[in-house]
């Protein structure tokens, strides 16, 4: 178990900078997820921690000790690869034992540790098979087992579930979470799937173009996205966003107008805002209420598409100003395509971002359950 | 049989193109294999049978019998005409158009027979002594061992050195990689035949002339081997190597525990090619191996056939023994060799 | 049994490579990860340097110096005298007009040899490949038959044919059987040349058949099916579909066989020794005889001849690169 310190980590490929000075602390025993769209540098960052990519600048410390110059094998980490990277010419048993043989562990101990890992991951029956004779889930477990036997200080996962089908992905998500609970190790997990990040992480690091956009607990990120990018990336379906202009500033409340001149109110900190400034208004689908009569903070919309999921429904609407808006409705809905209705944006849940740089204004209401 | 030969996967009967093709293939079969079979058959004939003209197809040799009163065995003849027709007699001597013959059962009586009335009695006999004397009189084992030594050692070193280079060129990113690769590819354009003189100078300066190493060292770094292995190794996912590195494997261990076993198909092709190259090598050994006790099989064969009083019986037997290993390898690995060549375009 | 052999081989393999484990690890630590690739390249580069790159330079040095001494220090600089000696001919079309050397005779022979051998061999290989590509039983067997001689050593090839062609050999016996005159095949110059070309084709054709066959099989079947739907005649299928699609492979075959033919030596040397006279002496044999087989050893002359041969090979290889490159561009378009 160990604490990871990333101190201004930089990675250059020739003239191209892939990672721009990442600062981060992963606490001991924490499950930390790097999430971001493809090409955001999350895998590069993970491989830099692993020792598979050279660190161009900054410092990486494990338990306070600088490891920039150490080789991958010397850092005491283990990694599950996206492709699993099981040695195809070795049996499951040999795959599990390979790393232990490399450090010249006595035979008896190797057998013991392999048996223990196999038991834990329910691989005992498959020990003498080759990887190609295993199903996707079994391969995944072997890849994890290969890390487990090594008793590493930190587990690294590089998009480990992306090759599995949807159902298996849910199961394996649970298994990895269990593993973390049982072993209590520090784990760093890379994914592009925000659902994985939300469900598994103690701490999420959102990355974009080699920069950290926000670090925080899953619900903090969901409730208080620091900027437009995080707001759009976390949450499914995405947060509704549309342009507006500041109309009035009061203490702890903001009045904005959209292009049509309709007024909305948001409970956000207003420091540094002045009337006339361009902002982006954000509201999550579950915070949009549909109403058959006009109210305050409301928008006339036409239903363009309906996703009936049984337990709840999503309605994809368009306002007369042309902005698209998705609304979450509990249960099933009687509305049809083409129906006209009113969408009320709940004042307490409105997010406001500065148009110029996308930064969020802090929301004032804390109780999210409301 | 006709059904089988005229069988086609399509729906139609054989047309004239098919018959023409078959004709071509049969002629081809005779032309390609005929001479080899003729060599093999001839190698089992005695020296006298080889001298016979016109030659006979099968290794038949004259039957002899020991007759009382004569020291040497006498050749037996079947009598085809005259009053003794149907008997088998031994010939003592020939006088003009008459032959003096004797019945082995009644050695006392000499019979005179016209030479037109008799034909030599023959029996089917494999002259295996052609082969056995190679071992007793001709030092065959020495040449065989020289050839095997060069073939095996050169192949092992070729595979080792080329696979190491291919590993470096396919699995590392480093400054100069492209340059080195182009340099190696460029040597494909420089066949060793145009460098005979200077390579000989280098080899003789290293003191290797008349040693098997003179054949082995210049042969180990083959551009084709590097190229073939590199292309194959490129297809091994880098993740596997990274996983091994995370598993505490040193780079050397990554190379021999992960990359080499996974390159087995390409290595097999290179092994087969290298064995073929070295076993069949002729010009270069001819230049650097001048002492007969360093000769490879090919050189020994060449020097025997050059001698004035060539003993064809032994020469043929030795030729057969030389083509035997390659033939056996081919019989078992035909598919492997042909697809290997078709894919790589290397010989 | 095979299990034991396999296990023994595996442990021998592991044992051998384990021996290098510690020195290689130490070397890896010493040079660092960034340069570890050079460690793996080193043996190969040393071998290339010693036996390919250094010799290229030496070749020129020896070609420009004279005498039969092997040490450079003992060899006087003679400029282009070696080349002049090789090329000292009144007319390059008539090898008999060369005063000092039989090199030009060898060039002449090689020219004819290349022309005839490559021409007939590529044509025959194409016919054979087309036939073997047909839907015929025993295809695999026949492919093996045509390929088998490729694997035989040149000495064996030469001896096989020497035995068939000798004055009292099976070919003459066959001719007499049908009432024709026997011929002393390898003693008459014109026939010796014929058989040199013939045997060389016999020995090498299978290789090109294999490559052409691979090329033919790479032509997708649906192209032929489309042609059949269009009611295309067999000849048109061949001339408008098969041949154009096979052309890239034909180019490879042509250039490869040209390069090989220019360097022909082994089986011819054993079969005829270049004789009768110098009727079948090719360039490589000239180099061998001048530099190694005759006394005094004229390294300079041999090196000069090598360089002239290298120039021809270089042009051929460049031609190949150029042709295959334009093909690659065609593919990507």
């Amino acid at each position: 178990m160990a604490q990871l310190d990333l101190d201004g980590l930089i990675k250059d490929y020739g003239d191209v900078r892939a990672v721009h000075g990442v600062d981060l602390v992963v606490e001991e025993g924490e499950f930390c997820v790097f999430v971001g769209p493809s090409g955001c540098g999350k895998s590069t960052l993970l491989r830099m921690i692993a020792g598979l990519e050279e660190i161009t600048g900054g410092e990486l410390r494990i338990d306070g000790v600088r490891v920039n110059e150490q080789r991958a094998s010397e850092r005491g980490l283990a990694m599950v690869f996206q492709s699993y990277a099981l040695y195809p010419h070795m049996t499951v048993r040999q795959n599990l034992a390979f790393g232990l043989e490399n450090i010249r562990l006595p035979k008896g101990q190797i057998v013991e540790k392999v048996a223990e890992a196999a038991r834990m991951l329910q691989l005992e029956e498959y020990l003498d098979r080759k990887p190609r004779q295993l199903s996707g889930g079994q391969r995944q477990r072997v890849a994890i087992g290969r890390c487990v036997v090594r008793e590493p200080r930190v587990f690294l996962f590089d998009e480990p579930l992306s090759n599995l089908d949807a159902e298996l992905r849910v199961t394996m998500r649970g298994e990895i979470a269990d593993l973390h609970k049982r072993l209590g190790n520090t784990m760093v997990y890379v994914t592009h799937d925000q659902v994985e990040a939300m469900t598994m992480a103690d701490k999420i690091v959102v990355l974009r173009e080699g920069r950290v956009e926000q670090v925080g607990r899953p619900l903090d990120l969901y409730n208080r996205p620091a900027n437009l990018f995080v707001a759009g990336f976390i949450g499914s379906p995405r947060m509704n966003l549309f342009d507006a202009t500041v109309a009035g500033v009061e203490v702890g409340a903001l009045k904005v107008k959209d292009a049509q001149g309709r007024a909305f109110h948001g409970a956000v900190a207003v420091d540094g805002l002045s009337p006339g400034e361009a902002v982006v208004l954000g509201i999550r689908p579950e915070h949009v209420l549909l109403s058959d009569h006009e109210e305050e903070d409301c928008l006339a919309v036409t239903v363009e598409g309906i996703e009936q999921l049984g337990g709840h429904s999503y309605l994809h609407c368009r306002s007369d100003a042309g902005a698209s808006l998705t609304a979450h409705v509990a249960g099933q809905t009687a509305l049809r395509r083409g129906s006209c209705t009113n969408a009320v944006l709940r004042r307490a849940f409105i997010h406001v971002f500065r148009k110029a740089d996308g930064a969020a204004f802090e929301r004032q209401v804390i109780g999210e359950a409301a | 049989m006709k059904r089988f030969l005229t069988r086609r996967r399509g729906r139609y009967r054989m047309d004239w193109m098919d018959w023409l093709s078959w004709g071509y293939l049969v002629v081809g079969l005779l032309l390609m294999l005929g001479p080899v079979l003729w060599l093999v058959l001839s190698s089992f004939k005695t020296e006298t049978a080889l001298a016979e003209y016109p030659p006979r197809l099968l290794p038949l040799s004259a039957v002899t019998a020991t007759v009382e009163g004569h020291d040497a065995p006498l050749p037996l003849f079947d009598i085809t005409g005259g009053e003794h027709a149907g008997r088998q007699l031994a010939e003592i001597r020939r006088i003009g158009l008459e032959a003096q013959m004797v019945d082995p059962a009644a050695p006392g009586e000499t019979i005179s027979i016209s030479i037109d009335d008799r034909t030599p009695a023959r029996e089917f006999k494999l002259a295996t002594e052609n082969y056995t004397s190679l071992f007793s009189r001709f030092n065959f084992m020495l040449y065989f061992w020289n050839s095997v030594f060069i073939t095996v050692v050169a192949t092992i070193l070729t595979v080792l050195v080329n696979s190491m280079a291919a590993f470096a060129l396919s699995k590392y990113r480093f400054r100069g990689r492209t340059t080195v690769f182009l340099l190696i590819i460029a040597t494909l354009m420089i066949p060793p035949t145009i460098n005979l003189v200077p390579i000989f100078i280098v080899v003789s300066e290293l003191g290797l002339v008349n040693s098997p190493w003179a054949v082995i060292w210049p042969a180990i770094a083959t551009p084709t081997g590097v190229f073939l292995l590199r292309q194959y190794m490129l297809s091994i996912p880098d993740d596997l190597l990274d996983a091994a590195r995370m598993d505490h494997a040193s780079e050397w261990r990554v190379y021999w525990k992960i990359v080499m076993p996974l390159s087995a198909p390409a290595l097999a092709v290179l092994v087969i090619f290298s064995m073929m190259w070295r076993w069949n090598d002729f010009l270069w050994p001819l230049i650097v191996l001048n002492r007969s006790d360093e000769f490879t099989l090919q050189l020994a064969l060449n020097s025997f056939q050059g001698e004035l009083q060539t003993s064809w019986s032994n020469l043929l037997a030795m030729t057969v023994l030389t083509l035997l290993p390659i033939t056996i390898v081919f019989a078992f690995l035909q598919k492997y060799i042909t697809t290997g060549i078709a894919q790589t375009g290397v010989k | 049994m095979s299990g034991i052999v396999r296990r023994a081989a595996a442990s021998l393999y592991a044992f051998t490579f384990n021996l290098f484990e510690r020195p290689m690890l130490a070397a890896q630590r010493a040079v660092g990860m960034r340069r570890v690739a050079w460690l793996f390249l080193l043996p190969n580069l040393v071998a290339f340097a010693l036996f390919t790159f250094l010799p290229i330079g030496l070749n020129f040095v020896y070609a420009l110096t004279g005498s039969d001494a092997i040490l450079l220090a003992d060899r006087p600089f003679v400029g282009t005298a070696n080349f002049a000696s090789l090329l000292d001919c009144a007319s390059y079309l008539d090898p008999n007009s060369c005063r000092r050397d039989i090199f030009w005779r060898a060039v002449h022979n090689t020219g004819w040899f290349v022309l005839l051998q490559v021409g007939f061999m590529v044509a025959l290989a194409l016919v054979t490949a087309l036939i073997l590509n047909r839907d015929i039983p025993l295809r695999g067997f026949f492919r093996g038959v045509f390929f088998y001689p490729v694997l035989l050593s040149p000495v064996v090839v030469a001896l096989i044919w020497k035995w068939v062609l000798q004055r009292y050999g099976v070919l003459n016996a066959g001719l007499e059987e049908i009432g024709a005159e026997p011929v002393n095949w390898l003693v008459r110059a014109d026939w010796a040349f014929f058989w040199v070309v013939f045997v060389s084709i016999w020995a090498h054709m299978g290789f090109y058949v294999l490559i052409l066959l691979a090329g033919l099989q790479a032509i997708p079947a649906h192209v032929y099916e489309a042609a059949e739907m269009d009611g295309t005649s067999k000849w048109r299928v061949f001339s408008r579909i098969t041949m154009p699609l096979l052309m890239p492979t034909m180019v490879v075959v042509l250039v490869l066989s040209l390069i090989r033919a220019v360097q022909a030596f082994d089986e011819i040397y054993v079969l005829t020794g270049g004789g009768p006279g110098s009727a079948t002496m090719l360039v490589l044999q000239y180099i061998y005889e001048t530099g190694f087989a005759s006394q005094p050893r004229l390294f300079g002359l041999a090196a000069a001849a090598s360089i002239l041969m290298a120039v021809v090979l270089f042009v051929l290889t460049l031609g190949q690169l150029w042709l295959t490159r334009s093909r690659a561009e065609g593919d990507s378009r």
Side-chain angles (χ1 to χ4, degrees), chain B residues 38 52-57, chain C residues 163-183 185:
Chain B
W38 178 242
E52 214 173 310
Y53 185 82
R56 288 166 184 281
L57 184 64
Chain C
W163 178 238
V164 169
L165 296 176
Q166 57 149 326
R167 170 63 185 85
Y168 297 102
V170 68
L171 182 63
N172 276 333
L175 282 181
E176 284 190 43
E177 191 69 27
I178 59 169
E181 278 294 302
V183 183
W185 301 111

Side-chain angles (χ1 to χ4, degrees), chain B residues 18-48:
Chain B
D18 291 308
W19 291 112
L20 214 62
S21 305
W22 265 100
Y24 181 88
L25 290 180
V26 169
V27 172
L29 179 72
L30 284 176
L31 218 54
M32 300 316 269
L33 289 193
V36 182
L37 287 178
W38 178 242
L39 176 89
V40 174
L41 280 174
S42 304
S43 76
F44 285 103
K45 291 178 180 172
T46 58
E47 195 69 47
T48 41

Side-chain angles (χ1 to χ4, degrees), chain A residues 85-91 95 130-132, chain B residues 236-237 240 258 262:
Chain A
L86 300 181
Y87 311 124
H89 57 301
M90 300 183 188
T91 62
N95 261 287
K130 294 269 177 73
R132 64 168 177 278
Chain B
I236 298 175
L240 284 178
I258 309 292
L262 291 177

